[in-house]
Amino acid sequence: MQLVMSSWPEVEAYLSRSKAILIPVGSIEQHGPTGLIGTDALCAELIARRAGDEAGFLVGPTFNVGMAQHHMGFAGTITLRPSTMIATMTDWANSLRHHGFERLYWLNGHGGNSGTIQAGITAIYHDTTFAEAAPVRCLSRNWWELPGVGELIRQLFPTGEGSHATPSEISVTRYAFPESAKTAELSPRLAPIGPVFDAIDFKRRFPDGRIGSDPSLANATAGDMLVAAASAALIAEFEAFARG
Ligand SMILES: [Zn+2]
């Protein structure tokens, strides 16, 4: 069940049986020469919708632009400043709480969002305290850290996973959007690794946008397995969170 495809009476009926909503969080950022700009938003949305459809819980609109300043050296990237993301998450949470939602599960698709999401959750709790509003609980999870998914990634890609433009995330988009698959010469095949600071430094360290990865390993079969494993784990975790 998707919020954007529901009418208000349907949302009201949902609220009479559950106060929990799942919000996919993504980023619009370069993913190397072969990865889609929307990879992080698309992966989180796909896994969230699969889980929501199978288990009957509500999936909110995708919070699709995140914290991607370090990718700004590459065409197409859009970023929020951290303070904008925190403020926007707070506005989303206040709106949902106003209607009676009490459990907000943020399924994240971009590692670079993690610190800002945690700060956003702190700001949401701050508002709850000072508004003396109804209690709200948040949980944030990176989809590749759902129970069992990390092990599956290590089995599928024992080498070449890296940390950005990874074969696992690109496999998910290959599986879901085969018509949008890209090919390019990757040189070196395994991208360099290193720390992440600002966008100018990022492009100097990682000239084609990848970090430590070999996305030529990506394939639709792996993507299918990853979506199945992540959505099954997500259903279990979301249902426990909704009850708690
Ligand atoms: Zn990504």
Side-chain angles (χ1 to χ4, degrees):
M1 184 179 178
Q2 290 178 50
L3 183 74
V4 295
M5 302 304 284
S6 305
S7 65
W8 73 258
E10 287 173 321
V11 177
E12 208 168 73
Y14 176 85
L15 276 162
S16 70
R17 60 180 194 274
S18 175
K19 310 288 188 208
I21 185 167
L22 171 60
I23 303 166
V25 185
S27 181
I28 303 299
E29 66 182 46
Q30 69 83 18
H31 272 76
T34 58
L36 307 183
I37 299 277
T39 297
D40 295 344
L42 294 167
C43 289
E45 185 173 88
L46 201 76
I47 293 162
R49 287 186 182 175
R50 168 79 66 89
D53 287 348
E54 279 183 18
F57 50 74
L58 190 62
V59 178
T62 302
F63 192 109
N64 61 1
V65 179
M67 235 299 299
Q69 62 80 17
H70 46 297
H71 296 292
M72 284 302 293
F74 301 87
T77 299
I78 302 175
T79 188
L80 299 177
R81 70 191 67 204
S83 57
T84 308
M85 185 162 177
I86 293 164
T88 309
M89 283 179 66
T90 308
D91 286 352
W92 282 42
N94 284 338
S95 302
L96 292 165
R97 188 171 55 206
H98 178 79
H99 301 304
F101 288 97
E102 295 174 357
R103 296 286 180 275
L104 314 180
Y105 186 121
W106 308 81
L107 181 70
N108 183 34
H110 171 44
N113 283 342
S114 298
T116 310
I117 290 174
Q118 285 310 317
I121 290 172
T122 304
I124 290 164
Y125 291 154
H126 182 278
D127 271 18
T128 307
T129 293
F130 286 95
E132 296 180 4
V136 65
R137 293 286 176 272
C138 293
L139 191 159
S140 171
R141 176 76 68 209
N142 297 327
W143 69 259
W144 58 92
E145 290 174 349
L146 282 161
V149 176
E151 289 80 354
L152 177 59
I153 289 172
R154 284 188 284 280
Q155 282 168 24
L156 290 167
F157 306 112
T159 60
E161 171 67 4
S163 60
H164 185 64
T166 65
S168 58
E169 61 183 342
I170 292 176
S171 292
V172 171
T173 61
R174 284 266 164 112
Y175 157 68
F177 310 103
E179 69 285 359
S180 298
K182 324 284 181 196
T183 52
E185 193 66 40
L186 297 172
S187 179
R189 188 157 170 196
L190 199 61
I193 58 170
V196 172
F197 303 111
D198 59 87
I200 294 167
D201 181 79
F202 186 104
K203 194 160 188 183
R204 189 174 54 76
R205 291 175 191 273
F206 315 111
D208 74 359
R210 299 174 292 140
I211 305 177
S213 67
D214 175 7
S216 70
L217 299 168
N219 63 88
T221 306
D224 188 3
M225 293 169 70
L226 286 164
V227 171
S231 59
L234 175 59
I235 288 170
E237 189 165 83
F238 182 88
E239 288 184 339
F241 174 65
R243 280 193 305 270

